[in-house]
Amino acid sequence: MKRGVIALLVSATVLATTAFWFFGMEKSVNAHDIMSFAVIIILVGFGIWFAIRRFSSAYKGEPQEDELSKRIVQKTAAWSYYISLYMWVFMIWLKDRVTMDTEQVLGAGILSMAVIFMLCFIFHKLRGIRHE
Amino acid sequence: MNNRIREYRARHDLTQDDLAKRVNVRRETIVFLEKNKYNPSLKLAHDIAVVFGVPIEEIFIFD
């Protein structure tokens, strides 16, 4: 239950600050801003889905976490760490080739890390954990 | 590793939910086990064997 509440709180905070940033912008909205906003919405959706799963497990009286869910999270964390290292190398390569502010590069990198984590989680959820 | 959980569950007239509750895991874990998408820990394999009243090697078959 605790992790579900934390996931919900984090999602709500991210959503509120993103809305504050998006609607409070002085300059005109460009394609990069819209893309960032869309990615954040997807990540917030993922966070809310995670929280709802926890709440529904608690409601059904089943454990919110067991050996399979723990191993999926562990494996997701390990994979996303390795993939993120390569992603940052790519970002370093990219920064000299496109005109982006430092904060845009960092923001894109952080968002990419979250997306990588989400994709790794979905991959392990679908594939399962076998022969290890 | 293959397993005969689905077969034993049918013999004992247990749903996935019932078995999950008896071995204290999520129903999803039983689904993954039956689809051979997850190799359980020794403890979980033991708990499942205890529920069906047979040795572990009756349920889990090593290739």
Side-chain angles (χ1 to χ4, degrees):
Chain A
M1 199 72 154
K2 203 172 93 183
R3 284 202 187 170
V5 173
I6 290 171
L8 208 58
L9 281 176
V10 170
S11 302
T13 309
V14 169
L15 195 62
T17 50
T18 306
F20 185 70
W21 157 72
F22 196 74
F23 295 112
M25 268 194 303
E26 287 173 4
K27 63 181 175 81
S28 60
V29 179
N30 58 32
H32 181 268
D33 296 331
I34 291 172
M35 204 175 81
S36 301
F37 189 68
V39 171
I40 290 169
I41 292 295
I42 292 169
L43 292 171
V44 165
F46 177 68
I48 292 170
W49 170 79
F50 181 81
I52 288 172
R53 271 191 63 217
R54 294 255 165 180
F55 292 137
S56 92
S57 292
Y59 180 74
K60 284 184 210 159
E62 67 181 12
Q64 293 167 55
E65 208 170 47
D66 63 7
E67 62 176 56
L68 174 62
S69 61
K70 278 180 192 163
R71 290 202 56 194
I72 286 176
V73 171
Q74 278 171 359
K75 213 148 187 237
T76 300
W79 274 47
S80 55
Y81 172 73
Y82 286 122
I83 296 170
S84 294
L85 291 179
Y86 289 104
M87 183 274 298
W88 279 113
V89 172
F90 174 72
M91 294 298 276
I92 292 167
W93 176 83
L94 192 69
K95 87 171 168 47
D96 296 330
R97 284 158 183 83
V98 292
T99 47
M100 280 173 95
D101 301 336
T102 308
E103 62 187 42
Q104 274 184 325
V105 174
L106 286 175
I110 291 166
L111 272 184
S112 304
M113 285 177 79
V115 170
I116 288 167
F117 185 88
M118 187 184 77
L119 293 178
C120 287
F121 185 84
I122 292 168
F123 174 77
H124 284 113
K125 267 273 183 208
L126 295 176
R127 180 180 170 269
I129 294 182
R130 290 169 288 186
H131 310 302
E132 288 158 33
Chain B
M1 187 169 77
N2 292 316
N3 68 70
R4 296 163 70 193
I5 294 176
R6 193 190 297 265
E7 182 190 326
Y8 271 88
R9 200 167 52 73
R11 273 193 214 171
H12 287 76
D13 199 22
L14 286 173
T15 63
Q16 289 177 334
D17 217 21
D18 296 332
L19 180 59
K21 279 185 180 142
R22 298 211 13 205
V23 294
N24 198 32
V25 292
R26 298 163 61 90
R27 190 181 72 86
E28 184 186 38
T29 304
I30 303 297
V31 174
F32 271 63
L33 284 170
E34 289 188 356
K35 286 184 180 171
N36 277 324
K37 281 184 164 186
Y38 176 55
N39 292 341
S41 68
L42 185 58
K43 185 189 177 299
L44 180 56
H46 172 263
D47 289 349
I48 291 170
V50 166
V51 168
F52 296 134
V54 291
I56 291 177
E57 59 268 26
E58 273 289 311
I59 314 253
F60 297 95
I61 301 125
F62 291 88
D63 296 325

